[in-house]
Amino acid sequence: MNIIQNKLVESYATLVMAERIPVEEVPETKTIGSGEYAIRSEVEIEIANRTINAMS
């Protein structure tokens, strides 16, 4: 992931974990520049990583 994708995933993960938006509202994909990138699945992975780190 590039810097923009990484920041976008981190920001969405924070909003979901803070219960500001449901994960269903995170776009499945997002066009960044000329490419289409999976966002929701990356957000779910980021949330899982944060949860694991907090519990270990």
Side-chain angles (χ1 to χ4, degrees), residues 4-39:
I4 295 171
Q5 292 168 281
N6 194 37
K7 269 306 215 194
L8 190 60
V9 167
E10 288 175 356
S11 297
Y12 273 123
T14 299
L15 288 172
V16 171
M17 292 184 81
E19 298 181 354
R20 294 296 199 137
I21 64 169
V23 73
E24 293 80 17
E25 285 187 19
V26 176
E28 191 69 41
T29 60
K30 188 98 170 154
T31 302
I32 301 171
S34 61
E36 187 87 9
Y37 299 98
I39 297 296

Side-chain angles (χ1 to χ4, degrees), residues 17 44-56:
M17 292 184 81
E44 291 171 341
I45 291 167
E46 177 68 20
I47 291 169
N49 283 332
R50 290 181 186 186
T51 302
I52 290 167
N53 287 336
M55 296 186 144
S56 38

